[in-house]
Amino acid sequence: MPLNLAVAASICSLFCSLFAIVNAEDPYRFFNWNVTYGDIYPLGARQRGILINGQFPGPDIHSVTNDNLIINVFNSLDEPFLLSWNGIQNRRNSFEDGVYGTTCPIPPGKNFTYILQVKDQIGSFYYFPSLAFHKAAGGFGGIRILSRPRIPVPFPDPAGDYTVLIGDWYKSNHTDLRAHLDKGKKLPLPDGILINGRGSGAAFNVEQGKTYRLRISNVGLQNSLNFRIQNHKMKLVEVEGTHTLQTTYSSLDVHVGQSYSVLVTADQPARDYYIVVSSRFTSTVLTTTGILHYSNSAGPVSGPIPGGPTVQIDWSLNQARSIRSNLTASGPRPNPQGSYHYGLINTTRTIRLSSSAGQVNGKQRYAINSVSFIPADTPLKLADYFKIGGVFHVGSISNNPTGGGIYLDTAVMGADYRAFIEIVFQNDEDIIQSYHLNGYQFWVVGMDGGQWTSASRNQYNLRDAVARVTVQVYPKSWSAIYIALDNVGMWNLRSESWARQYLGQQFYLRVYTASTSLRDEYPIPKNARLCGKAAGRHTRPL
């Protein structure tokens, strides 16, 4: 939908004001997106999907380290809408994070222009709609951040670079799924799996003898997925912004919310080959297929669909432990990734987080440390900025599991800017979990079965653990991460199982400093929408 002149003028004015904050030498990339409903048929039946510029999935965002992304989003839906940026750190600027705790929703018929900078980042990520279970209808797409031209990359340029969005899917419209959850019921098993929005037949074209990069993201709602290509090996090269040791795998577990980059060489006889995605740790295994199509193919896919792991936890745990950082490769800057010796830094705090499921007032809820999150009437970041009382209080969730019953609250945990902390995710449930923290990349230093104790630190990887943005926690197991809290703001820590997130398994980490310097945090954006108790207040003059 084209912008009218008034909106165009406001964007021009907004763009001109950016130079006061961001480096004017860093390039700008402009995106104009119209979000609409539209008929989609991913599993054969008609559904009402969420499209971006008529596309399902939405368009990719292509960028380079330090680029400024100016993304104007016009909401043509009949309900409020927000986009969030899985893995984009929005450094010093959590106002732009696109979750309800930081950003006012875009009302129907209105627009909002996100101002993002992919500062000191590379890698493969994705965006998604964060409100009202919209993610079950689409509205997601890939994000790629390339290295700057003078920064060495530890592998030759591939012949092609593909976004591969995989995820479980329901035939029901998102409004029906949301109503089901609002009634306090659990969701059933999904109906299928999609590859780039298709329940079958997604094709990727290759030329014999050439190597291609696949950026695989699990944008689904709950299930871990296994990805494999018939008769082809995959060389892992990047995980959520970190160049990895280049280990070769025949199949790869991609847990919900996670992203991986692999190199695949078309080194087999010229024909078509199955691409297979199947669910992990589920009683019924869901499977879908796509096609790796050689340009000189002598025939269609043939033979049995390659099998993969199903419920084996040890297999997946061992694979996860094998994923390591490439210490000699450059990241977004020319210095090697291994030049930051995270393992030599003393942690100043340990936070232990444990999930639980139960009933509150006769309805299904999920919790972290017994607190099931409920949204406030005002985005928490705005309440914090304007010093509006009665919206939340810091410390409304404990540092450690309480062992008590589930209760409802707007959970916010405080943390000090520039602290170096340890977070332990304890999973006493019999399902796999996946956690994401906005605004940060963290080191996954350990994971194992059973209960975490201080003695568990003896097995931590303090040398070349992978730094990433989403970590899995296996059933009856724990995972531990280290984080340098170098990004001031209000940051969402959540389950990536979307029904659990929707029903309370999340909270906000308030990384705070008393400093008002632009070096620590940007002021509220001039175009920020103000809602709830912040309505009627002022940002800054344009």
Side-chain angles (χ1 to χ4, degrees):
M1 180 175 182
L3 287 176
N4 61 34
L5 292 178
V7 175
S10 68
I11 291 178
C12 178
S13 175
L14 183 65
F15 168 62
C16 294
S17 72
L18 293 174
F19 291 92
I21 291 181
V22 297
N23 187 341
E25 295 178 358
D26 294 324
Y28 285 79
R29 298 178 187 268
F30 292 87
F31 303 84
N32 186 32
W33 288 354
N34 187 30
V35 180
T36 62
Y37 292 123
D39 288 342
I40 56 174
Y41 302 81
L43 294 178
R46 186 173 73 174
Q47 294 177 250
R48 187 169 74 160
I50 292 179
L51 315 181
I52 298 180
N53 290 354
Q55 299 178 45
F56 170 74
D60 277 0
I61 292 176
H62 291 199
S63 62
V64 176
T65 301
N66 294 343
D67 278 358
N68 298 291
L69 309 179
I70 314 301
I71 307 171
N72 181 55
V73 178
F74 193 91
N75 178 15
S76 294
L77 307 183
D78 57 5
E79 57 184 348
F81 183 80
L82 276 178
L83 285 173
S84 192
W85 322 94
N86 210 71
I88 303 305
Q89 294 174 16
N90 289 314
R91 299 197 64 79
R92 298 182 282 174
N93 198 8
S94 63
F95 294 104
E96 302 282 1
D97 211 32
V99 289
Y100 184 66
T102 63
T103 313
C104 288
I106 308 169
K110 302 295 184 180
N111 78 299
F112 177 69
T113 302
Y114 291 89
I115 306 164
L116 315 177
Q117 186 180 26
V118 289
K119 181 69 175 173
D120 290 334
Q121 288 195 259
I122 58 168
S124 309
F125 308 101
Y126 65 91
Y127 62 86
F128 67 96
S130 62
L131 299 180
F133 225 65
H134 288 151
K135 191 180 180 188
F140 45 73
I143 301 174
R144 63 181 66 175
I145 310 173
L146 302 179
S147 297
R148 288 171 290 175
R150 295 184 180 180
I151 307 297
V153 175
F155 50 88
D157 286 343
D161 193 333
Y162 287 111
T163 294
V164 185
L165 303 178
I166 60 176
D168 49 16
W169 193 259
Y170 289 91
K171 291 180 180 178
S172 300
N173 286 332
H174 78 281
T175 48
D176 297 329
L177 298 172
R178 185 174 70 204
H180 195 78
L181 293 171
D182 289 341
K183 292 176 183 175
K185 300 179 181 179
K186 296 181 180 180
L187 292 184
L189 188 72
D191 296 304
I193 296 171
L194 307 187
I195 303 175
N196 285 355
R198 302 186 63 170
S200 62
F204 301 86
N205 298 320
V206 297
E207 294 184 27
Q208 196 168 29
K210 294 185 176 181
T211 298
Y212 296 81
R213 182 173 184 171
L214 305 184
R215 300 173 185 263
I216 308 162
S217 293
N218 184 340
V219 299
L221 299 173
Q222 68 182 65
N223 285 323
S224 300
L225 300 174
N226 183 266
F227 183 93
R228 53 199 182 271
I229 304 176
Q230 183 182 26
N231 294 358
H232 289 74
K233 300 292 186 181
M234 299 178 290
K235 181 185 290 184
L236 184 66
V237 293
E238 178 255 330
V239 173
E240 297 164 11
T242 296
H243 287 131
T244 62
L245 290 180
Q246 295 182 11
T247 306
T248 298
Y249 299 99
S250 57
S251 73
L252 190 64
D253 275 357
V254 187
H255 306 283
V256 64
Q258 294 185 339
S259 299
Y260 291 87
S261 276
V262 299
L263 297 180
V264 176
T265 300
D267 56 3
Q268 297 299 303
R271 62 178 182 86
D272 292 353
Y273 295 88
Y274 284 114
I275 295 173
V276 187
V277 183
S278 58
S279 62
R280 294 283 271 123
F281 318 114
T282 54
S283 54
T284 301
V285 178
L286 300 173
T287 302
T288 193
T289 60
I291 298 170
L292 188 74
H293 172 70
Y294 279 59
S295 61
N296 57 340
S297 174
V301 291
S302 62
I305 295 173
T310 54
V311 296
Q312 302 90 336
I313 293 173
D314 286 348
W315 185 97
S316 189
L317 176 62
N318 290 331
Q319 182 178 84
R321 288 171 169 167
S322 73
I323 299 171
R324 306 292 183 94
S325 293
N326 184 336
L327 297 181
T328 60
S330 297
R333 296 186 177 187
N335 48 303
Q337 293 179 146
S339 60
Y340 189 97
H341 300 286
Y342 70 92
L344 300 179
I345 304 173
N346 292 325
T347 57
T348 57
R349 179 180 177 187
T350 296
I351 299 170
R352 294 169 52 231
L353 304 175
S354 179
S355 66
S356 56
Q359 297 274 318
V360 177
N361 299 325
K363 293 185 176 183
Q364 182 66 44
R365 297 294 299 186
Y366 301 95
I368 299 176
N369 289 359
S370 300
V371 185
S372 185
F373 184 88
I374 51 173
D377 60 3
T378 305
L380 309 181
K381 183 60 185 172
L382 296 186
D384 207 16
Y385 178 81
F386 289 115
K387 297 180 171 54
I388 302 170
V391 176
F392 72 93
H393 68 275
V394 177
S396 46
I397 179 171
S398 171
N399 284 349
N400 295 289
T402 65
I406 294 176
Y407 63 95
L408 307 178
D409 203 349
T410 304
V412 177
M413 183 181 293
D416 294 331
Y417 179 44
R418 292 185 175 148
F420 191 81
I421 68 171
E422 172 189 43
I423 297 181
V424 178
F425 298 97
Q426 181 69 51
N427 181 14
D428 294 327
E429 300 183 71
D430 59 3
I431 62 166
I432 189 166
Q433 308 260 5
S434 186
Y435 286 95
H436 176 87
L437 175 60
N438 284 6
Y440 283 96
Q441 193 181 48
F442 46 72
W443 291 273
V444 182
V445 294
M447 55 178 62
D448 205 353
Q451 288 288 318
W452 180 91
T453 68
S454 58
S456 302
R457 296 185 179 115
N458 295 331
Q459 60 178 282
Y460 281 5
N461 175 2
L462 300 180
R463 181 175 179 271
D464 62 353
V466 67
R468 62 184 315 163
V469 302
T470 305
V471 61
Q472 74 271 27
V473 193
Y474 292 100
K476 306 291 186 181
S477 301
W478 57 266
S479 294
I481 64 175
Y482 280 180
I483 313 175
L485 295 180
D486 58 358
N487 195 11
V488 175
M490 189 76 71
W491 303 108
N492 188 222
L493 192 156
R494 62 176 176 268
S495 169
E496 284 289 345
S497 175
W498 217 238
R500 295 179 75 103
Q501 175 273 153
Y502 183 80
L503 293 180
Q505 194 172 323
Q506 60 171 308
F507 69 90
Y508 282 82
L509 187 69
R510 179 186 185 248
V511 180
Y512 177 76
T513 178
S515 167
T516 57
S517 170
L518 290 180
R519 294 181 179 179
D520 297 324
E521 186 176 26
Y522 291 151
I524 189 169
K526 296 178 181 180
N527 70 321
R529 286 193 167 276
L530 302 180
C531 56
K533 293 178 180 176
R537 297 181 182 245
H538 300 287
T539 55
R540 296 175 293 139
L542 279 172

